[in-house]
Amino acid sequence: AANLGDELLDEIISFGTDPDAPGALLLDNLPVDPNLPPTPANGEPSPGQTDFVGEACVLGLSKLIGEPVGYATEKSGRIIHNLVPVAGAETTQSNRGSRVLLSFHNDSVYDESLHFHTFNPDFLILYCHRPDVDGDAVTHFVDARTLGAALDHDDIVALREPLYRMAAPSNFTMLLNNGEKVWSKPMPILSGRADCPEITIAANGVTPTDDRAAG
């Protein structure tokens, strides 16, 4: 943290605590691993990695804005997830895919209560170890405040009611549930204060429970 400088450090901390902060923060020129091994083919951490500069950056930033957490059903409970393209999963809506646009979503976690967003993280930190060969990969995001301002009153009322089911995360479905999709209990898509809303959607599936929700 001492190497960030007071101004940038204040900006990062404010991003994690100020409800009026932007929905995303881009940092560049972070340190990089000097001896990065080849990208593993199986989606697991590389056994040949000897330097962990990127992991240190992720954990350091995490501690500045919150508390890093892991989930038993995601990446074997590891705190830091290696997001690696895997052969055979190119078109899946998961962090193992590589050939389709990953639809807008919130990171969620399978929970036996069938409420997949009770324990989802407040922040997601992405650190790029190695860009794609063509330099075409992008990360899109939408601020919930911007999206909410574009909706009319009736839509907002409906979205705040438990009228929708979300699919469990694709990694859980593919790796831990024999490919069989699991749906959540009915839940709202929109929650939180009117001036600081939170939107919950699943990249791999949202289904309405009645005609009103479908409309």
Side-chain angles (χ1 to χ4, degrees), residues 7-19:
E7 185 176 347
L8 180 55
L9 186 60
D10 287 344
E11 185 176 356
I12 294 171
I13 294 174
S14 177
F15 173 76
T17 57
D18 185 355

Side-chain angles (χ1 to χ4, degrees), residues 46-72:
S46 174
Q49 187 170 359
T50 58
D51 301 297
F52 297 92
V53 175
E55 286 80 356
C57 288
V58 169
L59 287 176
L61 291 169
S62 297
K63 293 295 290 184
L64 288 175
I65 62 175
E67 188 68 31
V69 297
Y71 303 99

